[in-house]
Amino acid sequence: MPPLLRNAIPIGRKTEPFPSAAHAITSPAMTQRLNIIGGGMAGCEAAWQAAQLGVPVTIYEMRPKVETFAHQTGDLGEMVCSNSFRSDDDEQNAVGLVHWEMRAAGSLIMATADKHRIPAGGALAVDREPYAKSITAAIHAHPLIDVTYDEITHLPDEGQWIVATGPLTSGALAEAIQAETGSEALAFFDAIAPIIYADSIDMSRAWMQSRYDKGETIEEQTAYLNCPMTKDQYEGFIDALLAAEKTEFHEGETAGYFDGCLPIEVMAERGRETLRFGPMKPIGLTNAHDPETKAYAVVQLRRDNALGTLFNIVGFQTKMKYGAQTSVFRMIPGLEIAEFARLGGIHRNTFINSPTLLDNQMRLKSRPNIRFAGQITGVEGYVESAAMGLLAGRLAAAEINGDTLPPVPNTTAMGALVHHITGGAEAKTFQPMNVNFGLFPPLDGVRGGRRGRKDRYKGYTDRAKEDWQQWLAGQS
């Protein structure tokens, strides 16, 4: 666990039930139980969906008995990296469309995110601690869900199972998966951004503004904290990043990075201007303290809790060692005396070659009693992971109930994503993927190129919503 430079954030557990559990279809006569390995977002969503369809569920979660580098608590559904579910725009953004589809399916993850939402411009960000505690409370309160806090170290031969262990799968289970699939585990390295105490930020240099004043309310339009840099400050910052002492990989560790979550040092190594066209781009922002002067680069921080006492540095995943982090990040104007609630870090993420190993029902071809869901399938991001949990839970519940669901239409966001990981992607070059409109079948009669993008994206989302609702209606 990274060192805390103040008192650690208190850990507790909510006990109130999640109200939607009352809508579950109870089935006392049900004899077959769905077993889920992993109590992250994918596992919790899979459990919720199956239980709501009347299937009894047991979640096996190894934490807190077995700890990981990235987790800070023993809560279910804990957010270990960012506190953002990214864009909530369901008309022009594929991630926002997944939000919409999940909400339409009665998603626990989305309902809880909406309950603990905090201002983030056009994004859906949450207060991460009460969010995870609400997930935990909802799961424990559901009459058809049991939770066993123990580690599963093998792939079971009997019963219906979903493996939703995420990128931090335990060593023993990872070895069992490798032995079963007959291939080496695929992996990439992921990084975590630091979190700063708001009262240690110099607001005489920083200001509050969402890029392009995005948002419908003043609170949304001022959701981000901005720290401007001159050209000389930016060049000095890049020099410090490149020279900083960094965490080295252990001998024999070979893995790339996921391009959507690159450490800032890796981005800087790709070119001195890379960060200025990435997370430090100055566009769409006006310095409230000096409106006439345009910043050469801007570091943005996003609120990390509802109280507004914690902010995370957007896009600043890092593999710098802890001492280097504090000195380098305090070079940022406004953060000269910043105090850190959590420092950044790096960890190894494991995933399987899903196009080779899984069928279109998300089952392991060699052991069809086992499904995989979440990041271990080769999707990337909280939203995508939870969405794959939602599908796996519904598919497993249908099978237990003596039915087989039709394939999810690949015109929907979730259908496009599951189609990609279960056969649409090239197995030889398979890498983790965020949802994006490039995975969707083309639309007829819609203009291509940048000029036609707005109408094209609206066409994608309109078609997806209609097809998703029809797919859901066929299960009622």
Side-chain angles (χ1 to χ4, degrees):
M1 181 185 298
L4 304 186
L5 304 189
R6 282 194 183 183
N7 292 332
I9 300 168
I11 298 170
R13 176 169 290 176
K14 281 196 173 186
T15 56
E16 75 271 21
F18 196 87
S20 297
H23 300 296
I25 304 170
T26 58
S27 181
M30 182 68 64
T31 56
Q32 190 167 17
R33 178 172 288 270
L34 175 61
N35 303 283
I36 298 175
I37 309 174
M41 291 193 196
C44 288
E45 187 63 63
W48 189 263
Q49 293 291 325
Q52 292 294 89
L53 293 169
V55 174
V57 179
T58 296
I59 296 175
Y60 294 88
E61 171 54 51
M62 68 180 185
R63 294 179 299 113
K65 181 182 294 186
V66 180
E67 295 182 344
T68 75
F69 161 80
H71 290 90
Q72 305 286 307
T73 77
D75 288 331
L76 302 175
E78 180 183 343
M79 306 178 84
V80 298
C81 294
S82 167
N83 69 323
S84 174
F85 288 95
R86 307 180 353 252
S87 175
D88 203 32
D89 181 354
D90 61 50
E91 294 189 347
Q92 293 290 313
N93 190 284
V95 176
L97 177 60
V98 179
H99 293 182
W100 187 95
E101 291 178 4
M102 292 180 70
R103 288 180 178 119
S107 165
L108 171 66
I109 296 301
M110 282 295 107
T112 311
D114 290 335
K115 178 180 177 182
H116 294 287
R117 185 171 192 153
I118 57 177
L124 173 59
V126 303
D127 189 343
R128 71 173 77 213
E129 290 185 52
Y131 166 83
K133 295 185 190 309
S134 286
I135 293 286
T136 304
I139 291 295
H140 279 282
H142 199 292
L144 292 180
I145 302 177
D146 294 329
V147 182
T148 298
Y149 289 93
D150 206 354
E151 181 184 9
I152 301 293
T153 59
H154 65 286
L155 292 176
D157 294 319
E158 298 179 349
Q160 288 290 328
W161 292 79
I162 295 175
V163 178
T165 46
L168 298 172
T169 300
S170 70
L173 183 58
E175 288 179 7
I177 293 170
Q178 181 177 336
E180 174 63 28
T181 59
S183 61
E184 292 187 10
L186 303 176
F188 64 97
F189 285 103
D190 204 354
I192 298 172
I195 297 174
I196 292 175
Y197 288 100
D199 62 8
S200 69
I201 299 171
D202 182 359
M203 293 306 296
S204 70
R205 309 196 70 176
W207 79 96
M208 302 297 297
Q209 182 190 6
S210 298
R211 203 178 299 278
Y212 298 112
D213 299 312
K214 194 169 185 178
E216 297 182 358
T217 66
I218 294 297
E219 194 173 33
E220 291 285 350
Q221 292 166 6
T222 56
Y224 289 80
L225 190 150
N226 302 279
C227 299
M229 280 187 179
T230 64
K231 187 176 190 298
D232 287 344
Q233 288 169 334
Y234 176 80
E235 294 292 347
F237 181 73
I238 296 300
D239 289 338
L241 271 183
L242 295 174
E245 191 175 9
K246 302 168 183 71
T247 301
E248 300 297 332
F249 299 144
H250 297 299
E251 185 177 352
E253 281 190 328
T254 55
Y257 293 101
F258 177 63
D259 275 349
C261 198
L262 286 174
I264 54 173
E265 312 84 33
V266 174
M267 285 189 273
E269 289 167 358
R270 293 185 175 185
R272 296 185 67 86
E273 291 289 286
T274 302
L275 283 168
R276 210 168 69 84
F277 287 87
M280 296 178 68
K281 58 182 177 287
I283 61 173
L285 299 166
T286 302
N287 189 336
H289 305 299
D290 188 6
E292 301 302 317
T293 301
K294 181 161 182 69
Y296 188 76
V298 174
V299 175
Q300 284 201 308
L301 293 87
R302 179 178 56 241
R303 188 187 297 187
D304 204 71
N305 65 349
L307 294 175
T309 57
L310 298 171
F311 279 77
N312 65 70
I313 313 181
V314 178
F316 267 45
Q317 301 79 222
T318 180
K319 64 172 183 173
M320 284 188 289
K321 291 191 173 180
Y322 297 143
Q325 287 185 46
T326 56
S327 60
V328 172
F329 291 144
R330 284 173 179 160
M331 295 176 66
I332 299 170
L335 304 186
E336 292 90 346
I337 58 172
E339 294 186 53
F340 295 82
R342 184 188 74 184
L343 291 169
I346 190 166
H347 57 90
R348 184 181 175 92
N349 283 1
T350 300
F351 64 101
I352 63 172
N353 196 317
S354 293
T356 299
L357 300 173
L358 302 184
D359 68 14
N360 64 5
Q361 291 280 309
M362 304 177 73
R363 295 173 300 204
L364 191 60
K365 292 175 183 177
S366 62
R367 292 203 194 187
N369 68 311
I370 298 174
R371 284 178 167 83
F372 280 76
Q375 270 191 285
I376 197 171
T377 65
V379 298
E380 172 62 17
Y382 295 140
V383 177
E384 291 87 342
S385 298
M388 294 303 95
L390 186 152
L391 289 182
R394 283 181 166 260
L395 292 168
E399 184 171 339
I400 288 171
N401 287 331
D403 196 8
T404 300
L405 294 183
V408 187
N410 66 351
T411 52
T412 67
M414 280 195 254
L417 196 57
V418 76
H419 173 74
H420 175 77
I421 66 171
T422 58
E426 174 57 53
K428 290 183 180 179
T429 57
F430 184 61
Q431 288 292 312
M433 177 69 74
N434 289 125
V435 67
N436 62 84
F437 287 127
L439 301 177
F440 288 52
L443 289 162
D444 295 329
V446 177
R447 184 179 184 180
R450 292 181 62 85
R451 292 184 179 181
R453 183 168 58 186
K454 186 174 182 179
D455 290 340
R456 188 167 67 254
Y457 287 0
K458 184 65 164 58
Y460 283 140
T461 57
D462 285 348
R463 179 181 66 179
K465 291 173 183 178
E466 181 179 351
D467 291 351
W468 179 249
Q469 288 176 317
Q470 288 181 0
W471 188 77
L472 290 176
Q475 300 167 44
S476 58

